[in-house]
Structure formats: C-alpha cells, structure tokens
Amino acid sequence: MPVVEKNRDYVVDIKDMTHEGQGVGRIDGLAVFTDGVLAGEQVELKIIKLKKSYAVGKLLKVLRPSPDRVDPFCGVFRRCGGCSLQHMDYNAQLAFKTKLVRDSLERIGGLKDVKVRDTIGMKQPYNFRNKAQYPVTSADGKIVTGFYAPRSHEVIGSDECRIQNMESDRVRKLVAGFMMEKGIPAYDENTGKGLVRHIMTRVGFNTGEIMVVLVINGDTLPHAGELAQRLVDETAQSSGSSMVKSVYLNVNTDNTNVILGDRNILVYGNESITEKIGNYSFMISPGSFFQVNTAQTEVLYSKVLEFAGLNGSETVFDLYCGIGTISLFLSSRAKIVYGVEVVKAAVKDARRNAKLNGVDNVEFIEGEAEKAVPDLYRKGIHADVVVLDPPRKGCDESLLQLIAADMQPDRIVYVSCNPATLARDLKYLDAQGYEALEAQPVDLFPWTGHVECVTLMTNVKNK
Ligand code: SAH
C-alpha cells in the first residue's frame, strides 16, 4: 500500500524551493510541491494531487515558521495568480534568487567557479509594472476587474494591485465605472456574449505617457469617444505627471485565451507612447514587447553594457533583440550592432526606434538567430562580442556551436530569464572554450520566483 495518499494530511519539512516559488518537501521519498510555504518550515498539508513521481500539497497550517516569513501585503494573495512570494521577506527573496542561479550553474551546468553576485533588487519593490492586463467580468450586476486565479480563468476582483503602476489601477476603475454608468456589458467566456474582455494599460515611467487598450468582443464600443476623453481629463487632473496619450480598441471575437486580437482601432491620440531607458527613447505600440519593469531593465542593460566591455571598434551581435533595446544601448560604444529577431513587428519597431534616436550603426535582421547568424558568418560578418537574450527555452545548440567553435568572439554576454536553460547553455559553451566568469542576477519580478540574470563569458580557448 502506498504511504502517500490523496486527501490525507501530513506533517512535512520544507527543504527547498523551486523557481516557481513552490516549497519542496518529501513524504517517504516522494517530492511534494506546495504553494505558500518556505524552505526551513515545518507545515501541515493536504495532498491534493498524487502522481507517480511527485505530489502536490495544499497548505493547512504552518507549524514552525521560517524567520523569513512575513505577512503578505495584498488581500487577495494566493487567490490571485500574480504573486507567489509575498509571504517571504524581500531581502530573503533576493537571496533565494541568487541561490537559484548558483545552484543551477553548479547542478545543471557543473560550473563551480562562476562568481554569482548578489541579486540587485529594488529599493521600493512596489508599483513597478509598466503593463497591466485586467480581465473584465461581471458579478451580481457589477463590473469586476482584477486578475486570474492561479491556473484558472476565474477573475479575482481587487481594487488595488500594488505591483502595478497606480495610474493603471485608476484607469481600470474609471473604465469599470463608465461601463456601469452606460450599461456596457463585460464579456462572458462561457457564452461568448458581452463586450469588454480586458483592459490593458501601458505606462511610460520616464515620460508619463499612458496607453489604454480596451479589448472587445466586437468592433465598436458605445460612447468610446466620451470614455477616451474622460480618461484623458481624469488622469490629467489626478496626477499632473502622467496622462493618457493613446486609446485603442482591440478587436478579439475569438473563443481564445490569447488576450489581444489582431486588429487595433485608434480612438484617441497617438499611435504609440514613448518610454525612455537611459538616453534612449522607445516607441511602444499595443502589441510591442517591452520589459515590464522599466527601472530594473535599465539596471539590467547597464550590466550588459559593462560586461560587453566595448571600446568603439567592435562588431556586436544582439541576438533575440526584440524591439532593439539592447542594440541601441550598446550602439554608442560599438562600431556596428546587428540585431536579430524572429517577430516581424518587433523588427519594425526596432528599426523605427533606431531612427527615432538618430542611431545609424545598427542593422536589424528578421529571422531565427540559428539561421541568420550562419548567414552573416558566411558573408564574412563576424562578431567580437555576442549578446544572447533568448526566451525561456534557451538557445539552439547549432547556434552556440557556430558562435563558439567557428566565429569565436572575445566575449559572450548571456541574458537569461531561466536559470536551468542558462546553466545548460553555459555548460555547452564552457566545453567549447568559453569560461563563465561572472553572473549578475537582477530582480525584474519582485514577489515572484522569476529571476533574470546576465552572465559574462570570455574566450579562453587559445590561452
Ligand atoms: N532583448 C530583448 C527581447 C528579449 S525576449 C529585450 O531585452 O527586450 C526574447 C526575444 O527572442 C523575443 O522578442 C522573441 O520574439 C525572440 N525570439 C524567440 N525565438 C527566436 C529565435 N529563434 N531567433 C530570434 N529571435 C527569437
């Protein structure tokens, strides 16, 4: 008979934590993952899911709390799917992220000598997000906006989210109030009826410009012009420094989990808003990718620039370049920067951004890095420094092979949002003669287990 049974309660010592922020303990050797607990704690939990190789527990009671446990600041913590570590002291979160990177490099990468620096955190880890996407629903005749529950589409209503910009919260309240006043219905996922699905806001922290996108199940919104004007007037009055500059309707009539549809209709103001990072301005459209934490993004990019160690004579490849933010950041210290990105719209934004900033030593190439880089190499265009910033799954092995074995840049700077694939790729590069010297985690996502990390590697092949 198995020792672990579903729906039974157990006392478990939490030994470790995953990058998702779940605690890990063992019952009779079987790993049990539980939300809302911390390493070092003893807890009572109920097994709610049982698989062959692991189980999932639900926290019932903390029997012996960790010294890092704090009261969460948000009333809907754990019911809302946004934050996972609000029960952990902020400095402990930073230490946890440093450890995550170090452990991954050691265990997965077999790399013991990398200097893993302390995670750079925020002085005030609140109201830092520049993009919010609030689902809209209705309950008891009222319009409810908030966030989805973990792994679900249940909307958890809340009036304030302390990780969002305060103007975003104001905007969604104004929209919800307006909908009530005019009788505009929220979309209902189950029936496919109703109109407003999401309220998306994007805020330029360094410019004060706000974009509002109302995602609707149709192509017109009653009183859209009046709503836009109200948003403009109210935000101008309330803050003085931030203001709605652009209002869109986004048409999404599909039965889908994807938030934005393909068509945007501008109902007020400018097509894009501008945000500044360092000395550079970036145009943001409804669908543009842009890091959600502006302040920490500047910290991250400054680290990339430092690790790149440029003197103005180098050819630099910025692979997985998005809208060209890192490319532009590096351009003033390089001879030329080639940015490579697979999403067409992002490449278009990148070229526009280069123009906007009067930068003419960057060139953007649309395509997969693993195809575009061999093409460049064959044409005799070789990089002295390569920046890699891939999505969570990391880099294609053939790309790493070409860079490390054939092109052999002096330095590789690897920006990663996933310590596991980072460690895997660094191990591969290490075997090809690239030694990882230093890793600097930066906290872009306070109150979650996510960690961003910049690593410097140098070519030691011929030494
Ligand atoms: N460096 C940018 C974006 C990083 S996000 C920034 O700091 O903002 C990762 C980017 O890689 C995304 O824009 C994604 O579209 C792009 N991407 C994903 N797979 C790719 C591939 N195989 N080749 C090139 N780009 C890719």
Side-chain angles (χ1 to χ4, degrees), residues 267-284:
V267 291
Y268 170 87
N270 305 332
E271 281 183 14
S272 51
I273 56 163
T274 308
E275 173 64 308
K276 284 191 87 160
I277 299 188
N279 295 324
Y280 297 97
S281 297
F282 299 96
M283 281 171 149
I284 302 176

Side-chain angles (χ1 to χ4, degrees), residues 289-291 297 300-301 318-326 340-343 346 367-370 389-391 393:
F289 174 86
F290 198 75
Q291 293 281 9
T297 297
L300 181 79
Y301 291 172
D318 175 20
L319 308 180
Y320 313 87
C321 71
I323 59 166
T325 34
I326 294 177
V340 178
E341 163 62 45
V342 75
V343 173
E368 290 176 318
E370 52 274 28
D389 186 5
K393 68 174 184 182

Side-chain angles (χ1 to χ4, degrees), residues 84-328:
S84 54
L85 289 181
Q86 270 189 32
H87 57 305
M88 190 182 209
D89 171 71
Y90 186 59
N91 285 323
Q93 287 173 42
L94 298 178
F96 161 64
K97 292 179 187 194
T98 309
K99 183 174 176 302
L100 257 182
V101 172
R102 187 175 294 130
D103 287 355
S104 297
L105 293 185
E106 281 187 22
R107 283 187 210 159
I108 304 170
L111 302 166
K112 299 207 183 333
D113 301 324
V114 187
K115 276 195 210 88
V116 179
R117 306 283 181 196
D118 289 344
T119 303
I120 303 175
M122 301 189 79
K123 285 203 179 72
Q124 290 289 332
Y126 304 100
N127 306 114
F128 53 83
R129 280 186 65 100
N130 58 33
K131 173 177 161 185
Q133 303 182 115
Y134 306 97
V136 182
T137 185
S138 54
D140 304 328
K142 286 217 171 86
I143 298 294
V144 177
T145 62
F147 296 96
Y148 288 132
R151 299 170 279 273
S152 141
H153 268 203
E154 184 198 350
V155 178
I156 305 296
S158 74
D159 283 340
E160 190 196 13
C161 172
R162 287 194 58 200
I163 69 168
Q164 299 295 345
N165 179 278
M166 281 191 243
E167 291 304 318
S168 297
D169 266 355
R170 271 188 68 77
V171 162
R172 66 142 156 174
K173 269 183 239 165
L174 284 167
V175 174
F178 190 87
M179 288 172 67
M180 290 291 289
E181 186 185 311
K182 305 285 186 190
I184 301 170
Y187 176 69
D188 181 337
E189 250 184 14
N190 298 317
T191 62
K193 295 212 165 69
L195 197 56
V196 181
R197 300 172 70 126
H198 271 86
I199 302 165
M200 178 169 101
T201 59
R202 308 192 75 162
V203 182
F205 270 56
N206 296 321
T207 60
E209 299 186 6
I210 304 171
M211 173 182 282
V212 182
V213 181
L214 302 166
V215 185
I216 55 172
N217 176 36
D219 54 13
T220 53
L221 179 79
H223 316 286
E226 188 184 339
L227 171 60
Q229 197 55 53
R230 190 178 294 181
L231 290 171
V232 174
D233 293 345
E234 297 270 339
T235 49
Q237 254 180 23
S238 72
S239 73
S241 60
S242 301
M243 226 179 115
V244 170
K245 292 283 185 191
S246 168
V247 181
Y248 275 96
L249 301 179
N250 173 273
V251 180
N252 187 353
T253 53
D254 292 345
N255 177 10
T256 168
N257 288 340
V258 178
I259 294 176
L260 289 183
D262 291 334
R263 190 147 72 94
N264 292 305
I265 304 167
L266 184 66
V267 291
Y268 170 87
N270 305 332
E271 281 183 14
S272 51
I273 56 163
T274 308
E275 173 64 308
K276 284 191 87 160
I277 299 188
N279 295 324
Y280 297 97
S281 297
F282 299 96
M283 281 171 149
I284 302 176
S285 316
S288 302
F289 174 86
F290 198 75
Q291 293 281 9
V292 295
N293 186 333
T294 307
Q296 290 295 86
T297 297
E298 183 160 353
V299 173
L300 181 79
Y301 291 172
S302 303
K303 235 2 194 203
V304 174
L305 187 60
E306 181 193 319
F307 282 175
L310 303 173
N311 64 23
S313 68
E314 296 89 349
T315 298
V316 179
F317 287 2
D318 175 20
L319 308 180
Y320 313 87
C321 71
I323 59 166
T325 34
I326 294 177
S327 311
L328 292 189

Side-chain angles (χ1 to χ4, degrees), residues 13 29 41 68 258 262 300 305 351 392:
D13 288 319
E41 294 188 325
D68 296 331
V258 178
D262 291 334
L300 181 79
L305 187 60
R351 290 183 182 137
R392 290 192 71 76

